[in-house]
Amino acid sequence: MGRLFWKFFFFIMVAQLTATIGVGIMFSLENRERDRRTSDLDQSPPAAFMIRSAAATLQYGGTEALRKLVVNAERHHVYAVDEQQRELLGREVHPRLIEEARALLGTEQHETRRRVVEEVKAADGHTYLLFLPSPVNPEFGGPPPHEERGPRRMQPPPPFFFPMMPMLVATVASLFFAMLLAWYFSQPIRLLKSAFARASSGNLNDRLAPQMGKRNDELSDLGRDFDGMTDKLRALMDSQRRLLHDVSHELRSPIARLQASIGLARLQPEKTAATLERIEREGVRMDKLVGELLTLSRLEAGVTGAMEDHIRMEDLLTEIIDDARFEAAALNRHIEGIVRCDVVIKGGAELLYRAIENVVRNAIKQTAVDTTIAINTQVDKDRQSLLVSVIDHGPGVPEEELQLIFEPFFRSSRTQKNSNGYGLGLTIARRIIEAHGGRICAFNRVDGGLCVDIVLPYDAIESASEIPPTSSGDEA
């Protein structure tokens, strides 16, 4: 059992014991108070009637008449005690009964309520105190001597543990349920502790949700969150390993070509100029790859620089289209852009230019010869978002690869032969778009080709005269 189990158990046990003892003390005090308030005298209406009858009999008929009345009474046996504490019929009377009768006789309450105690001066000169003992206390006087049945005897008090039995049962039940509750809370926490220990040692394959059973509380939610966390960690580790493998693979080819060129230059000095040109070309490719890796690394780390530029998207997109037309014309492709978006986005102008340019250049590489790449915009004023669509007429991407094309170094099986890049352009574009609070997605068109949608949020539509012209093409 863990420490948390015992803490739950201890505090619940203390709470239950305190409640049980408190209830027991209250019952005990209530019983004592009830016993204190309970009179040893019979104060019922029949008793009051009998006392009045006995008082009248003693006052007008004398002691002999009262003696006959008491002897002939079937149920209520009046006691008559004189000044010397002697009872009229010689019966033994408990002193406490006499004291209570005299105390009740002198109270105001006795005057206002029915009279169950009377004091009458008889003809023989003695003053008699008349009262009836309570039938529930037969120890304070027995039946008349002529009764055939024996005197009632007080029942022996119950054993000591009998009044404590409810408290004992409540205590045992409280401890049992406290143990169940403590186990109910501590068991999933022990599972979480074990899972975290295994995760810290590198085992991310454990699943806590099935082990939680049918629980539906915060602890089961924590288990599902743990499973989600391990899934993401496993995906990040796999991505890191894949990225390391891809970087190594991409760098290995130009380094091998560099080494081959150097060896060729040593063996054939007459081809040094051509060899140096080849070495320079490989160096440029490696520099480009390292630059893209550094850019991706900064974006992954959230280092995007200042994001305070007010970017007029119509100017930015027009500049991208004009620059793309030169590259497309050299490859016998065409660019057609319909840019109507008088919106301003706050962010990094250079980064946003590079992201959209990467998507457009990727479309130029993949579209067929003598086809047109369309760049369209649409403003959603209700959602305050700008949609930029880049549509090509290339081979498209298999449906299962549509999400993978934004992963580092991924090349679609349909476009590997047509691409001489490193598979980082769309990855960098996605990171930049997400840094601006937007999203990017791709889907295959029905009539062929790929469409890449870029959605960017904006705060408000501003007048073009309020924002200075945006120019990022030279910086990119």
Side-chain angles (χ1 to χ4, degrees), residues 292-461:
E292 291 186 349
L293 287 173
L294 289 175
T295 301
L296 179 61
S297 176
R298 288 196 296 268
L299 293 172
E300 292 281 0
V303 182
T304 58
M307 302 282 285
E308 301 296 329
D309 298 334
H310 292 274
I311 309 166
R312 292 194 306 179
M313 291 304 299
E314 188 169 336
D315 294 346
L316 183 70
L317 292 172
T318 301
E319 187 176 353
I320 291 174
I321 292 173
D322 292 340
D323 292 343
R325 281 198 175 103
F326 290 102
E327 182 177 352
L331 299 175
N332 199 17
R333 275 90 167 172
H334 308 283
I335 301 292
E336 180 182 288
I338 303 176
V339 179
R340 295 175 183 174
C341 51
D342 189 18
V343 298
V344 176
I345 292 178
K346 187 177 181 180
E350 179 183 352
L351 290 175
L352 202 55
Y353 182 97
R354 183 169 185 177
I356 301 176
E357 184 192 39
N358 284 347
V359 176
V360 174
R361 294 185 67 187
N362 184 76
I364 293 174
K365 294 176 184 179
Q366 304 303 329
T367 194
V369 178
D370 290 329
T371 58
T372 300
I373 298 169
I375 302 175
N376 302 323
T377 60
Q378 182 178 352
V379 178
D380 188 343
K381 295 182 180 180
D382 295 333
R383 299 182 179 179
Q384 289 192 338
S385 62
L386 170 65
L387 170 63
V388 180
S389 300
V390 180
I391 304 171
D392 63 40
H393 293 82
V397 177
E399 293 295 329
E400 64 274 8
E401 297 179 357
L402 284 175
Q403 295 299 323
L404 298 177
I405 61 176
F406 297 102
E407 297 296 328
F409 297 104
F410 180 81
R411 294 189 183 92
S412 175
S413 58
R414 295 181 183 176
T415 61
Q416 287 181 355
K417 296 180 180 180
N418 301 330
S419 177
N420 56 0
Y422 300 102
L424 293 175
L426 292 180
T427 303
I428 294 174
R430 184 182 70 173
R431 297 294 189 272
I432 294 174
I433 297 300
E434 290 176 349
H436 286 77
R439 65 182 187 274
I440 184 172
C441 62
F443 60 91
N444 291 307
R445 300 172 64 242
V446 177
D447 54 350
L450 187 72
C451 177
V452 178
D453 284 345
I454 299 173
V455 181
L456 292 167
Y458 64 88
D459 293 334
I461 298 179

Side-chain angles (χ1 to χ4, degrees), residues 67-78:
R67 185 178 289 110
K68 292 179 180 179
L69 175 66
V70 173
V71 170
N72 294 327
E74 295 182 357
R75 293 183 57 190
H76 301 284
H77 305 291
V78 179

